[in-house]
């Protein structure tokens, strides 16, 4: 089965992938060896690596499992939550259940989808976990915010900011259509949201005030934004429409660069940990761009057919894959070789 998702470990030496074949695998990038195969009862819908790299969390069959990255053993089994809801956007890929890990690594945020709830799981003591209740329709997106806060967005046309310690609502931010993506802007008390109509904006995480409207599509939604990813500095934001990607200044609202992807359908994007490279992935393959100049650095071939095009960047290394996984060293990466097939 096709690989549907990927996450790098903090130091870029290992990667977690997950698939519809009911497995998640921790790989050693240098050798291409599968270090641990994490088996599930059904298709794996999402995954995340903890900030310290000691654990990983995966979602399958409605529940979530925390695994020790060093041994592949189960650390905690988290109870099942609601059914997955696919985001209504121009992304052709199947949307996975979102899951996020708090910076402390002690808690995990899992979205409940059709249950209209999000869950903050205490990894060490599941019984002390709590539920975020406040959305009136299904939840589509979630993210961590500084200060032990979380933000969720959903079909009820609102983004809600929560105190994740007490599971209480802090404030709600109304939108005109479904909120399909939310992202914290690192280093700033702000977040970016994306709606089903392709509107992208920046809001204050303290007051809910709209700080900057970055993009609103023209009639017909042909140029509607489908994905977004913040840069590590929080000052810049990468977005993509079906045929191109753009880099925005989140403070001024200025579009700094446009990246014309050769594919007529960009499926996913990623930003390197240093913020110097961005990656777009589409039917024609993977394109690597210089974030400062907008110049095309390298084109990588497509890896297998299928609608999904997961891609990630970690410490100078890029991954592009379809039914298999290919690791490719990018400019500025460690001198460990030019690339390797994984899986």
């Amino acid at each position: 089965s096709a690989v549907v998702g990927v996450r790098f470990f903090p130091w870029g030496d290992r990667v977690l992938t997950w698939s519809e074949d009911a497995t998640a695998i921790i790989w050693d990038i240098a050798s291409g060896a599968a270090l641990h195969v994490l088996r599930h009862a059904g298709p794996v819908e999402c995954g995340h690596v903890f900030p310290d790299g000691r654990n990983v969390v995966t979602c399958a069959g409605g529940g979530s499992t925390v695994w020790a990255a060093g041994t592949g053993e189960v650390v905690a089994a988290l109870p099942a939550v609601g059914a997955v809801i696919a985001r209504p956007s121009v992304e052709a890929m199947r949307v996975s259940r979102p899951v996020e890990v708090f910076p402390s690594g002690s808690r995990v945020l899992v979205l409940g989808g059709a249950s209209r709830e999000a869950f903050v799981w205490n990894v060490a003591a599941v019984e002390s976990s709590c539920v975020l209740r406040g959305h009136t329709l299904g939840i589509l997106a979630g993210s961590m915010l500084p200060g032990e806060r979380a933000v969720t967005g959903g079909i009820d046309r609102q983004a809600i900011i929560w105190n994740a310690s007490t599971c209480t609502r802090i404030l709600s931010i109304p939108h005109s259509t479904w909120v399909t993506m939310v992202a914290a802007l690192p280093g700033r008390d702000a977040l970016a949201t994306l709606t089903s109509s392709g509107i992208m904006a920046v809001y204050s995480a303290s007051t809910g005030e709209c700080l900057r409207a970055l993009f609103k599509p023209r009639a017909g939604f042909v140029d509607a934004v489908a994905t977004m990813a913040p840069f590590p500095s929080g000052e810049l934001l990468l977005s993509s429409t079906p045929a191109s990607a753009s880099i925005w200044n989140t403070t001024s609202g200025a579009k700094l660069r446009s990246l014309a992807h050769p594919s007529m359908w960009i499926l996913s994007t990623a930003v390197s940990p240093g913020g110097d490279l961005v990656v777009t992935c589409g039917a024609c393959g993977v394109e690597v761009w210089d974030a400062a100049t907008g110049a095309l650095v390298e084109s990588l071939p497509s890896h297998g057919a299928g609608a999904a095009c997961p891609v990630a960047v970690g410490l100078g290394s890029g991954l592009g894959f379809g039914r298999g996984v290919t690791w490719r060293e990018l400019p500025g990466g460690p001198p460990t070789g030019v690339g390797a097939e994984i899986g």
Side-chain angles (χ1 to χ4, degrees):
S1 297
V3 171
V4 296
V6 60
R7 291 276 189 172
F8 269 94
F9 277 72
W11 306 113
D13 58 336
R14 290 170 295 166
V15 69
L16 170 71
T17 63
W18 57 95
S19 171
E20 294 178 342
D21 66 0
T23 66
I25 301 178
I26 298 173
W27 305 89
D28 177 81
I29 290 179
S31 66
L35 302 178
H36 302 290
V37 179
L38 314 177
R39 302 190 183 281
H40 300 70
V44 184
E45 299 161 349
C46 70
H48 207 297
V49 178
F50 279 54
D52 61 5
R54 293 183 180 180
N55 296 324
V56 301
V57 58
T58 57
C59 311
S64 302
T65 305
V66 177
W67 311 77
T71 64
E73 297 179 349
V74 174
V75 174
L78 309 178
V81 297
V84 177
I85 295 179
R87 289 198 301 265
S89 71
V90 299
E91 291 177 86
M93 73 178 76
R94 183 175 69 85
V95 177
S96 297
R97 181 194 305 283
V99 60
E100 296 285 343
V101 179
F102 283 80
S104 64
S106 63
R107 289 179 291 177
V108 177
L109 172 70
V110 181
L111 305 189
S115 71
R116 301 172 293 180
E117 299 171 340
F119 300 79
V120 178
W121 299 120
N122 187 318
V123 175
V126 175
E127 66 277 2
S128 64
S129 304
C130 59
V131 182
L132 306 179
R133 293 188 174 97
H135 284 280
T136 58
L137 295 171
I139 299 175
L140 300 176
S143 181
M144 301 294 98
L145 291 172
E148 293 297 300
R149 293 172 297 170
V151 58
T152 55
I155 297 174
D156 58 0
R157 303 183 180 187
Q158 63 177 330
I160 301 179
I161 296 177
W162 309 85
N163 181 321
S165 298
T166 62
C167 282
T168 55
R169 184 202 310 233
I170 297 175
L171 60 89
S172 299
I173 305 174
H175 289 68
S176 58
T177 54
W178 299 6
V179 181
T180 58
M181 294 188 75
V182 293
L185 299 181
R188 299 180 58 189
D189 190 31
L191 65 138
T193 67
L194 178 64
T195 69
S196 56
S197 58
I199 298 174
M200 185 171 62
V202 176
Y203 293 87
S204 166
S206 296
T207 66
E209 175 189 2
C210 183
L211 303 177
R212 185 67 59 181
L214 296 180
F215 183 82
K216 184 175 182 179
R218 293 169 292 182
F221 306 149
V222 176
D223 59 345
V225 171
T227 70
M228 65 178 186
F231 278 65
S233 66
E235 187 67 21
L236 303 179
L237 187 70
L238 173 68
S239 69
S240 72
T241 65
S244 67
S246 301
I247 298 174
W248 304 82
N249 183 302
T250 58
T251 301
S252 67
K255 182 193 289 189
L256 304 180
R257 272 162 288 285
S258 293
L259 314 173
H261 196 279
S263 170
M264 286 307 293
W265 207 266
I266 295 177
L267 299 173
S268 56
T269 58
V271 180
S272 69
D276 55 333
L277 298 173
V278 300
V279 179
T280 56
C281 189
C284 294
V286 179
E287 307 294 321
V288 183
W289 310 83
D290 186 303
T293 65
L296 180 63
V297 175
E298 189 171 6
S299 295
L300 307 177
S302 178
H303 298 287
C309 189
V311 66
V313 184
L315 290 184
S317 299
L319 280 178
F321 47 87
R323 293 198 171 273
V325 182
T326 295
W327 165 73
R328 180 62 177 264
E329 182 183 332
L330 301 179
T336 54
V338 296
E341 292 288 333
I342 300 177

